[in-house]
Amino acid sequence: SSELTQDPAVSVALGQSVRITCQGDSLRTYYAGWYQQRPGQAPVLVIYGKNNRPSGIPDRFSGSTSGNTASLTITGAQAEDEADYYCNSRDNSGNHLVFGGGTKLTVL
Amino acid sequence: EVQLVESGGGLVQPGRSLRLSCAASGFTFDDYALHWVRQTSGKGLEWVSGISWNSGSIGYAESVKGRFTISRDNAKNSLYLQMNSLRAEDTALYYCARDVNPNILTGLDGFDIWGQGTMVTVSS
């Protein structure tokens, strides 16, 4: 099992805000990256570091960390945001990178 | 266009070897660290290995350490993964991914460019 824990599924009404979380002891020390993956496609980086968005990522995506929990917030979810979301960071040893198990986001 | 294109996947018997390649274009290759990430069918992502811009820093997941070797050729804009002693549990779609940094394990980790992946199936 992953050292980063995510809820398997989350749903949100169209236009509402949603927070997807990632828990792990390593998050007290290291930032999380967040990836969006639509079916049949490669992952896309949406947030990394403290709250950095790569070019082309809408500003409705934001990241934060509190204690051992990193969060990805989508403010005003759109239909195209329906996807799997993965966090990644270090494992508890700090020597390897790991991914969370992923959260399936459904936009209702 | 910034692009990563993987190749070399296929069907291989347990215990055999396979070498994956990743060809990069559209960016200055030796400005970035690179990684291999795999995904089993319908399941999550697993980091496999990463290499810094100058090959000075390399890391492996425990599940592949001692069996897989990552390397890069900056003159050829190419990344490689030599996979030996393959097991059924290595069956996955293997992605090549670019780090936002020149070094791995910086604490500001993020993979901003991904290829479309190459499928590796280990079966007798």
Side-chain angles (χ1 to χ4, degrees):
Chain A
S1 61
S2 176
E3 295 182 26
L4 297 177
T5 301
Q6 297 183 241
D7 292 328
V10 171
S11 62
V12 61
L14 184 67
Q16 296 301 301
S17 295
V18 62
R19 185 169 66 182
I20 299 169
T21 61
C22 174
Q23 287 189 304
D25 287 342
S26 65
L27 298 175
R28 298 183 184 277
T29 307
Y30 302 105
Y31 290 117
W34 289 96
Y35 301 83
Q36 175 193 73
Q37 187 178 33
R38 298 188 176 109
Q41 298 186 17
V44 173
L45 180 67
V46 295
I47 291 288
Y48 69 99
K50 189 173 183 181
N51 184 20
N52 301 305
R53 273 179 294 106
S55 174
I57 301 301
D59 61 7
R60 64 178 179 272
F61 290 90
S62 62
S64 62
T65 302
S66 178
N68 73 336
T69 301
S71 299
L72 172 70
T73 299
I74 307 174
T75 303
Q78 302 299 303
E80 61 264 32
D81 299 334
E82 187 164 288
D84 293 327
Y85 289 85
Y86 295 90
C87 61
N88 90 313
S89 188
R90 305 285 190 93
D91 68 357
N92 289 339
S93 75
N95 296 321
H96 307 96
L97 293 170
V98 291
F99 284 88
T103 297
K104 183 176 180 61
L105 176 67
T106 299
V107 179
L108 303 172
Chain B
E1 180 190 4
V2 175
Q3 199 172 12
L4 296 170
V5 179
E6 302 92 338
S7 61
L11 174 63
V12 61
Q13 293 178 328
R16 303 299 289 266
S17 300
L18 206 58
R19 189 194 196 206
L20 305 184
S21 299
C22 172
S25 58
F27 64 95
T28 303
F29 187 73
D30 56 8
D31 277 353
Y32 298 92
L34 294 164
H35 300 263
W36 288 100
V37 177
R38 67 187 181 185
Q39 186 167 33
T40 52
S41 178
K43 295 193 177 177
L45 301 168
E46 180 186 11
W47 177 75
V48 173
S49 182
I51 185 168
S52 64
W53 69 279
N54 63 351
S55 305
S57 181
I58 287 174
Y60 296 98
E62 288 299 324
S63 59
V64 306
K65 200 169 186 178
R67 300 187 298 123
F68 290 11
T69 302
I70 192 172
S71 63
R72 63 188 293 164
D73 185 336
N74 287 348
K76 295 183 178 180
N77 288 357
S78 293
L79 174 73
Y80 306 100
L81 185 68
Q82 178 66 42
M83 304 186 296
N84 297 333
S85 303
L86 282 162
R87 305 167 180 167
E89 54 264 36
D90 296 318
T91 294
L93 182 65
Y94 283 73
Y95 291 105
C96 166
R98 188 182 81 171
D99 202 310
V100 298
N101 305 291
N103 294 300
I104 63 170
L105 301 175
T106 62
L108 197 68
D109 308 293
F111 305 160
D112 66 341
I113 303 295
W114 296 64
Q116 286 305 305
T118 187
M119 187 67 202
V120 172
T121 303
V122 183
S123 175
S124 54

PDB file of all heavy atoms in Angstrom, chain A residues 4-21:
ATOM      1  N   LEU A   4       1.159   7.354   0.819  1.00  0.00           N
ATOM      2  CA  LEU A   4       0.321   8.528   0.649  1.00  0.00           C
ATOM      3  C   LEU A   4      -1.100   8.022   0.440  1.00  0.00           C
ATOM      4  O   LEU A   4      -1.357   7.228  -0.454  1.00  0.00           O
ATOM      5  CB  LEU A   4       0.780   9.354  -0.558  1.00  0.00           C
ATOM      6  CG  LEU A   4       2.189   9.949  -0.466  1.00  0.00           C
ATOM      7  CD1 LEU A   4       2.525  10.687  -1.766  1.00  0.00           C
ATOM      8  CD2 LEU A   4       2.317  10.894   0.724  1.00  0.00           C
ATOM      9  N   THR A   5      -2.027   8.485   1.272  1.00  0.00           N
ATOM     10  CA  THR A   5      -3.385   7.967   1.277  1.00  0.00           C
ATOM     11  C   THR A   5      -4.356   8.980   0.696  1.00  0.00           C
ATOM     12  O   THR A   5      -4.389  10.142   1.140  1.00  0.00           O
ATOM     13  CB  THR A   5      -3.817   7.606   2.707  1.00  0.00           C
ATOM     14  OG1 THR A   5      -2.902   6.628   3.229  1.00  0.00           O
ATOM     15  CG2 THR A   5      -5.223   7.030   2.718  1.00  0.00           C
ATOM     16  N   GLN A   6      -5.137   8.539  -0.280  1.00  0.00           N
ATOM     17  CA  GLN A   6      -6.170   9.377  -0.879  1.00  0.00           C
ATOM     18  C   GLN A   6      -7.518   8.681  -0.778  1.00  0.00           C
ATOM     19  O   GLN A   6      -7.598   7.454  -0.812  1.00  0.00           O
ATOM     20  CB  GLN A   6      -5.865   9.624  -2.362  1.00  0.00           C
ATOM     21  CG  GLN A   6      -4.589  10.380  -2.635  1.00  0.00           C
ATOM     22  CD  GLN A   6      -4.418  10.640  -4.126  1.00  0.00           C
ATOM     23  OE1 GLN A   6      -3.454  10.181  -4.732  1.00  0.00           O
ATOM     24  NE2 GLN A   6      -5.342  11.393  -4.711  1.00  0.00           N
ATOM     25  N   ASP A   7      -8.598   9.462  -0.683  1.00  0.00           N
ATOM     26  CA  ASP A   7      -9.931   8.908  -0.765  1.00  0.00           C
ATOM     27  C   ASP A   7     -10.133   8.339  -2.163  1.00  0.00           C
ATOM     28  O   ASP A   7      -9.757   8.983  -3.145  1.00  0.00           O
ATOM     29  CB  ASP A   7     -10.983   9.981  -0.496  1.00  0.00           C
ATOM     30  CG  ASP A   7     -10.953  10.456   0.943  1.00  0.00           C
ATOM     31  OD1 ASP A   7     -10.633   9.652   1.835  1.00  0.00           O
ATOM     32  OD2 ASP A   7     -11.231  11.647   1.181  1.00  0.00           O
ATOM     33  N   PRO A   8     -10.735   7.160  -2.286  1.00  0.00           N
ATOM     34  CA  PRO A   8     -10.882   6.555  -3.621  1.00  0.00           C
ATOM     35  C   PRO A   8     -11.769   7.355  -4.564  1.00  0.00           C
ATOM     36  O   PRO A   8     -11.541   7.359  -5.770  1.00  0.00           O
ATOM     37  CB  PRO A   8     -11.503   5.192  -3.309  1.00  0.00           C
ATOM     38  CG  PRO A   8     -11.140   4.910  -1.905  1.00  0.00           C
ATOM     39  CD  PRO A   8     -11.120   6.239  -1.212  1.00  0.00           C
ATOM     40  N   ALA A   9     -12.794   8.010  -4.002  1.00  0.00           N
ATOM     41  CA  ALA A   9     -13.741   8.709  -4.872  1.00  0.00           C
ATOM     42  C   ALA A   9     -14.317   9.925  -4.160  1.00  0.00           C
ATOM     43  O   ALA A   9     -14.549   9.901  -2.950  1.00  0.00           O
ATOM     44  CB  ALA A   9     -14.860   7.770  -5.303  1.00  0.00           C
ATOM     45  N   VAL A  10     -14.517  10.964  -4.939  1.00  0.00           N
ATOM     46  CA  VAL A  10     -15.119  12.213  -4.456  1.00  0.00           C
ATOM     47  C   VAL A  10     -16.034  12.731  -5.559  1.00  0.00           C
ATOM     48  O   VAL A  10     -15.733  12.544  -6.750  1.00  0.00           O
ATOM     49  CB  VAL A  10     -14.023  13.253  -4.139  1.00  0.00           C
ATOM     50  CG1 VAL A  10     -14.630  14.617  -3.856  1.00  0.00           C
ATOM     51  CG2 VAL A  10     -13.165  12.809  -2.959  1.00  0.00           C
ATOM     52  N   SER A  11     -17.126  13.347  -5.171  1.00  0.00           N
ATOM     53  CA  SER A  11     -18.003  13.943  -6.174  1.00  0.00           C
ATOM     54  C   SER A  11     -18.267  15.401  -5.835  1.00  0.00           C
ATOM     55  O   SER A  11     -18.141  15.821  -4.677  1.00  0.00           O
ATOM     56  CB  SER A  11     -19.327  13.173  -6.266  1.00  0.00           C
ATOM     57  OG  SER A  11     -20.022  13.228  -5.036  1.00  0.00           O
ATOM     58  N   VAL A  12     -18.613  16.165  -6.858  1.00  0.00           N
ATOM     59  CA  VAL A  12     -18.880  17.597  -6.684  1.00  0.00           C
ATOM     60  C   VAL A  12     -19.929  18.018  -7.707  1.00  0.00           C
ATOM     61  O   VAL A  12     -19.957  17.498  -8.841  1.00  0.00           O
ATOM     62  CB  VAL A  12     -17.573  18.416  -6.848  1.00  0.00           C
ATOM     63  CG1 VAL A  12     -16.969  18.226  -8.239  1.00  0.00           C
ATOM     64  CG2 VAL A  12     -17.819  19.909  -6.574  1.00  0.00           C
ATOM     65  N   ALA A  13     -20.799  18.918  -7.309  1.00  0.00           N
ATOM     66  CA  ALA A  13     -21.768  19.462  -8.253  1.00  0.00           C
ATOM     67  C   ALA A  13     -21.083  20.462  -9.174  1.00  0.00           C
ATOM     68  O   ALA A  13     -20.144  21.166  -8.769  1.00  0.00           O
ATOM     69  CB  ALA A  13     -22.921  20.135  -7.500  1.00  0.00           C
ATOM     70  N   LEU A  14     -21.543  20.516 -10.391  1.00  0.00           N
ATOM     71  CA  LEU A  14     -20.983  21.444 -11.369  1.00  0.00           C
ATOM     72  C   LEU A  14     -20.981  22.871 -10.818  1.00  0.00           C
ATOM     73  O   LEU A  14     -21.998  23.358 -10.309  1.00  0.00           O
ATOM     74  CB  LEU A  14     -21.815  21.377 -12.659  1.00  0.00           C
ATOM     75  CG  LEU A  14     -21.343  22.209 -13.841  1.00  0.00           C
ATOM     76  CD1 LEU A  14     -20.014  21.669 -14.368  1.00  0.00           C
ATOM     77  CD2 LEU A  14     -22.397  22.232 -14.954  1.00  0.00           C
ATOM     78  N   GLY A  15     -19.827  23.504 -10.887  1.00  0.00           N
ATOM     79  CA  GLY A  15     -19.699  24.881 -10.435  1.00  0.00           C
ATOM     80  C   GLY A  15     -19.361  25.043  -8.965  1.00  0.00           C
ATOM     81  O   GLY A  15     -19.019  26.150  -8.525  1.00  0.00           O
ATOM     82  N   GLN A  16     -19.455  23.971  -8.219  1.00  0.00           N
ATOM     83  CA  GLN A  16     -19.121  24.036  -6.800  1.00  0.00           C
ATOM     84  C   GLN A  16     -17.630  23.746  -6.589  1.00  0.00           C
ATOM     85  O   GLN A  16     -16.906  23.364  -7.505  1.00  0.00           O
ATOM     86  CB  GLN A  16     -19.969  23.040  -6.003  1.00  0.00           C
ATOM     87  CG  GLN A  16     -21.455  23.348  -6.047  1.00  0.00           C
ATOM     88  CD  GLN A  16     -21.745  24.727  -5.493  1.00  0.00           C
ATOM     89  OE1 GLN A  16     -21.444  25.035  -4.336  1.00  0.00           O
ATOM     90  NE2 GLN A  16     -22.332  25.595  -6.332  1.00  0.00           N
ATOM     91  N   SER A  17     -17.177  23.948  -5.372  1.00  0.00           N
ATOM     92  CA  SER A  17     -15.770  23.716  -5.051  1.00  0.00           C
ATOM     93  C   SER A  17     -15.596  22.359  -4.400  1.00  0.00           C
ATOM     94  O   SER A  17     -16.511  21.859  -3.719  1.00  0.00           O
ATOM     95  CB  SER A  17     -15.258  24.818  -4.111  1.00  0.00           C
ATOM     96  OG  SER A  17     -15.287  26.068  -4.764  1.00  0.00           O
ATOM     97  N   VAL A  18     -14.419  21.786  -4.603  1.00  0.00           N
ATOM     98  CA  VAL A  18     -14.127  20.467  -4.045  1.00  0.00           C
ATOM     99  C   VAL A  18     -12.668  20.430  -3.614  1.00  0.00           C
ATOM    100  O   VAL A  18     -11.805  21.061  -4.229  1.00  0.00           O
ATOM    101  CB  VAL A  18     -14.414  19.350  -5.068  1.00  0.00           C
ATOM    102  CG1 VAL A  18     -13.543  19.468  -6.311  1.00  0.00           C
ATOM    103  CG2 VAL A  18     -14.277  17.961  -4.445  1.00  0.00           C
ATOM    104  N   ARG A  19     -12.429  19.701  -2.523  1.00  0.00           N
ATOM    105  CA  ARG A  19     -11.065  19.516  -2.051  1.00  0.00           C
ATOM    106  C   ARG A  19     -10.737  18.035  -2.082  1.00  0.00           C
ATOM    107  O   ARG A  19     -11.479  17.213  -1.541  1.00  0.00           O
ATOM    108  CB  ARG A  19     -10.902  20.071  -0.638  1.00  0.00           C
ATOM    109  CG  ARG A  19      -9.465  20.017  -0.141  1.00  0.00           C
ATOM    110  CD  ARG A  19      -9.302  20.804   1.129  1.00  0.00           C
ATOM    111  NE  ARG A  19     -10.037  20.214   2.235  1.00  0.00           N
ATOM    112  CZ  ARG A  19     -10.081  20.753   3.447  1.00  0.00           C
ATOM    113  NH1 ARG A  19      -9.430  21.875   3.700  1.00  0.00           N
ATOM    114  NH2 ARG A  19     -10.770  20.165   4.391  1.00  0.00           N
ATOM    115  N   ILE A  20      -9.624  17.717  -2.676  1.00  0.00           N
ATOM    116  CA  ILE A  20      -9.119  16.356  -2.740  1.00  0.00           C
ATOM    117  C   ILE A  20      -7.877  16.298  -1.852  1.00  0.00           C
ATOM    118  O   ILE A  20      -6.981  17.142  -1.985  1.00  0.00           O
ATOM    119  CB  ILE A  20      -8.771  15.972  -4.194  1.00  0.00           C
ATOM    120  CG1 ILE A  20     -10.015  16.035  -5.075  1.00  0.00           C
ATOM    121  CG2 ILE A  20      -8.135  14.584  -4.255  1.00  0.00           C
ATOM    122  CD1 ILE A  20      -9.735  15.925  -6.565  1.00  0.00           C
ATOM    123  N   THR A  21      -7.834  15.323  -0.945  1.00  0.00           N
ATOM    124  CA  THR A  21      -6.763  15.306   0.030  1.00  0.00           C
ATOM    125  C   THR A  21      -5.810  14.120  -0.149  1.00  0.00           C
ATOM    126  O   THR A  21      -6.161  13.095  -0.740  1.00  0.00           O
ATOM    127  CB  THR A  21      -7.299  15.283   1.465  1.00  0.00           C
ATOM    128  OG1 THR A  21      -8.078  14.096   1.641  1.00  0.00           O
ATOM    129  CG2 THR A  21      -8.144  16.510   1.741  1.00  0.00           C
TER     130      THR A  21
END
